[in-house]
Amino acid sequence: MPGAPVVSRLLILGGTADARALAAAVQVRWPDIRIITSLAGRTATPRLPVGEVQTGGFGGAGGLADYITAEGVDALIDATHPFAAEISKSAAEAATIAHVPRLVLTRPPWQFVQNAAVQHMRSISAAKSALESGGQRIFLAIGRQEINQFNALKGRFFLLRFIDAPASPPPFDRCEVLIGRPGTYEDERKMLQQFAIDTLVAKNGGSAASRAKVDAALDLGLRVILIDPPDLPPPPHAESIDGALAWLDSL
Ligand code: NAP
């Protein structure tokens, strides 16, 4: 039997499937906890978690600390995307300012049987430099915020995929934009073949939902360039939903 609620208001920094799974698990275990999930607001029709949702930035660590205090939040879980380093930094600082416990729900990067075939890069700009030596038909699967860094690569074909249609055309002479979310292994494999892709560039975000394109590209013998995530935010960390529930239970 679950015990009494350990916190009354939990703020989950979300935008990920892990954050939604966490909100659902907390609600099942402690139905009386008020759960607020915060989204960056990057997509027009995000997948929504159970509980309340707030959308948009807080205005840095100070703004987030003010929000925590104003809403009476008494625990904070950072379940953001591994590449969303700014909000994780703000979360760590805000928790200190507002004197609330904070946990990071981590997600390990992907590992592959064919790991030796993957070119691991420390940054977007290293990935761009690696492409200077080749890659004519590139699936650039890094989201939309950093694609401009590749616009100096001339004469290449870029395949791009965004959840929402971009506000302005991508900065490439030759490209195709697909609107949608990552697909199954079969869908991704078919798409890579349909566009005769020879190189995949992606962020190693570790999410189960977006891994299939990498598996398919490796199986097809394509060149795979993966950008490593930034360093983890400061501890404490949990590596699973159960670990996060145990942390809440321990407060
Ligand atoms: P970021 O660089 O960490 O955050 C930039 C600002 O966006 C933050 O300082 C914060 O604004 C606001 N923000 C981000 N996440 C928020 C959240 N959960 N709730 C409220 N505000 C939030 O993150 P990003 O710009 O969203 O993304 C950086 C990279 O992460 C992207 O290139 C992408 O690869 C990856 N990514 C992010 C998400 C996501 O949901 N955030 C999803 C998929 C991939 P204030 O400073 O004003 O508070």
Side-chain angles (χ1 to χ4, degrees):
M1 285 291 288
V6 287
V7 298
S8 58
R9 289 184 189 181
L10 170 67
L11 176 60
I12 299 173
L13 298 175
T16 59
D18 291 341
R20 290 192 297 278
L22 175 63
V26 172
Q27 193 190 57
V28 166
R29 179 129 174 217
W30 294 291
D32 294 336
I33 293 185
R34 179 181 157 202
I35 305 164
I36 312 168
T37 297
S38 169
L39 305 177
R42 305 275 177 246
T43 55
T45 51
R47 290 181 169 147
L48 295 176
V50 299
E52 298 165 42
V53 171
Q54 90 87 39
T55 304
F58 299 96
L64 177 52
D66 290 346
Y67 178 88
I68 288 170
T69 305
E71 292 293 323
V73 169
D74 46 16
L76 173 62
I77 298 184
D78 173 0
T80 56
H81 190 271
F83 281 81
E86 286 303 315
I87 189 69
S88 290
K89 187 164 172 283
S90 285
E93 289 171 20
T96 304
I97 298 168
H99 304 289
V100 294
R102 159 208 152 268
L103 176 79
V104 183
L105 181 58
T106 62
R107 193 204 279 172
W110 299 309
Q111 300 290 337
F112 301 95
V113 176
Q114 314 95 316
N115 220 18
V118 177
Q119 288 180 271
H120 295 276
M121 300 291 152
R122 290 288 297 161
S123 65
I124 298 263
S125 92
K128 183 234 148 197
S129 300
L131 285 177
E132 281 160 11
S133 66
Q136 291 306 309
R137 298 187 62 83
I138 302 160
F139 179 24
L140 187 56
I142 61 165
R144 64 193 151 142
Q145 290 183 33
E146 289 128 329
I147 58 169
N148 283 350
Q149 295 192 41
F150 293 80
N151 63 6
L153 295 167
K154 301 295 178 201
R156 321 291 181 92
F157 167 83
F158 286 95
L159 178 64
L160 306 161
R161 181 169 61 198
F162 304 126
I163 293 173
D164 299 311
S168 52
F172 305 117
D173 309 333
R174 295 166 58 219
C175 73
E176 177 96 22
V177 176
L178 305 178
I179 304 302
R181 297 179 191 273
T184 62
Y185 175 87
E186 286 74 23
D187 293 340
E188 303 290 59
R189 189 178 166 111
K190 205 152 77 181
M191 181 195 63
L192 293 168
Q193 289 177 310
Q194 182 192 342
F195 288 95
I197 296 302
D198 58 35
T199 304
L200 167 69
V201 180
K203 291 178 174 172
N204 193 343
S207 132
S210 51
R211 178 185 166 125
K213 60 179 179 284
V214 191
D215 288 327
L218 286 169
D219 289 348
L220 289 168
L222 309 187
R223 184 181 184 195
V224 173
I225 297 175
L226 285 188
I227 300 149
D228 293 335
D231 292 339
L232 281 175
H237 302 151
E239 292 177 358
S240 64
I241 303 292
D242 282 348
L245 296 180
W247 175 82
L248 277 171
D249 210 9
S250 74
L251 291 178

